[in-house]
Amino acid sequence: MRRWRTLLAVLAAVVTAATMSPNPAAAANDPVVPFVVGGTRAAQGEFPWMVRLSMGCGGALYSPTLVLTAAHCVSRTGTNSSITATLGVVDLQSSSRVTRRSNYVYRAPGYNGSGDDWAFIRLASPVTGVATLPIATSTAYDSGTFTVAGWGANREGGSQQRYLLKATVPFVSDATCNSSSMYGGEVIAAEEICAGYTAGGVDTCQGDSGGPMFRQGASGWIQVGIVSWGDGCARPNKPGVYTQVSYFSSAIRSAATSLGG
Ligand code: ARG
């Protein structure tokens, strides 16, 4: 009897944890499970350029052979055939997934653990028939509402996901993000862009790193950020911090050219 009660208590706790969302609004819309953190499942084909990388990061298809990701997801610039990119599916176990081996890694020059958090992974052979995600080349789209997606943890300390999750997060200004109640000056204003709710509840998390943050531009989706860091996940007053793609767009473009496009 005691044993059953214990088992029931454990089950109840697990069910509660699985259905609880730190964001009350998300919980209301989301009777089943919380995702990314506080998001929902992406539809097949909704974000075709999303890439899962075997070291446990995300990425975005920039060209048929190049995946844009975070510098902190890779070791160093040079020949590298150790990474597998999975794409074309929301379900990583799907038999229709496309996989490619890397043949080269380009890490942002000057990356030393803070700032400059971008890198390219070159695929050994081009991916055909998969849309790419254009990058922002000016600050025109560095505000508003952004979409984030990834296979990372659906809560702080949670496990990696089989299905691609998505969420929307609002822009947070550098001044707000660097205020004493948030990151107190830790954010590199020129190079990084913050997004999230003051109340928390919706965010990217571990394993989403390197994946894109994007929004609608003049003609479709445009990448404005790369998942970089945050204090925990979805905590109040701790927005996600993203590499500001517009700031690095010239460097990204010339690196892409040097890597063969
Ligand atoms: N650095 C993390 C990774 O490697 C991503 C963290 C994003 N955190 C956040 N609170 N937005 O996957």
Side-chain angles (χ1 to χ4, degrees):
M1 190 57 184
R2 232 183 87 90
R3 235 181 240 180
W4 285 111
R5 292 178 69 111
T6 311
L7 181 59
L8 282 174
V10 168
L11 279 173
V14 167
V15 169
T16 309
T19 51
M20 209 174 45
S21 165
N23 177 10
N29 298 331
D30 227 348
V32 195
V33 237
F35 317 86
V36 159
V37 176
T40 54
R41 242 190 229 184
Q44 177 59 39
E46 191 175 5
F47 308 123
W49 21 258
M50 283 296 307
V51 180
R52 175 67 173 181
L53 297 167
S54 52
M55 83 293 274
C57 278
L61 196 67
Y62 174 90
S63 77
T65 50
L66 293 175
V67 176
L68 184 58
T69 187
H72 82 261
C73 288
V74 303
S75 42
R76 58 185 155 72
T77 295
T79 300
N80 186 323
S81 58
S82 73
I83 302 165
T84 301
T86 302
L87 64 169
V89 290
V90 291
D91 175 6
L92 293 177
Q93 314 282 291
S94 167
S95 56
S96 47
R97 67 186 185 261
V98 172
T99 59
R100 285 291 185 279
R101 208 77 176 173
S102 62
N103 70 8
Y104 195 83
V105 162
Y106 180 91
R107 192 175 65 176
Y111 173 74
N112 66 0
S114 105
D116 293 295
D117 198 9
W118 64 275
F120 270 128
I121 290 166
R122 191 172 64 195
L123 306 176
S125 64
V127 174
T128 53
V130 179
T132 55
L133 180 61
I135 60 165
T137 54
S138 80
T139 56
Y141 299 111
D142 292 353
S143 62
T145 303
F146 305 125
T147 299
V148 288
W151 289 270
N154 61 354
R155 61 191 161 82
E156 193 174 323
S159 54
Q160 300 294 294
Q161 302 293 299
R162 169 175 173 177
Y163 297 96
L164 180 65
L165 307 175
K166 62 168 179 177
T168 55
V169 279
F171 168 74
V172 174
S173 73
D174 289 330
T176 301
C177 201
N178 256 335
S179 66
S180 56
S181 62
M182 292 194 174
Y183 288 115
E186 279 183 88
V187 173
I188 306 170
E191 295 185 21
E192 296 176 324
I193 181 168
C194 302
Y197 294 95
T198 307
V202 184
D203 198 4
T204 44
C205 199
Q206 268 54 43
D208 292 323
S209 274
M213 177 168 81
F214 44 96
R215 56 159 283 171
Q216 287 292 336
S219 53
W221 295 111
I222 294 200
Q223 180 170 4
V224 302
I226 298 170
V227 179
S228 183
W229 62 277
D231 184 354
C233 302
R235 296 183 186 180
N237 287 303
K238 299 295 175 188
V241 186
Y242 298 79
T243 305
Q244 191 164 345
V245 165
S246 62
Y247 179 81
F248 295 106
S249 59
S250 312
I252 290 172
R253 278 201 290 200
S254 47
T257 304
S258 77
L259 292 166

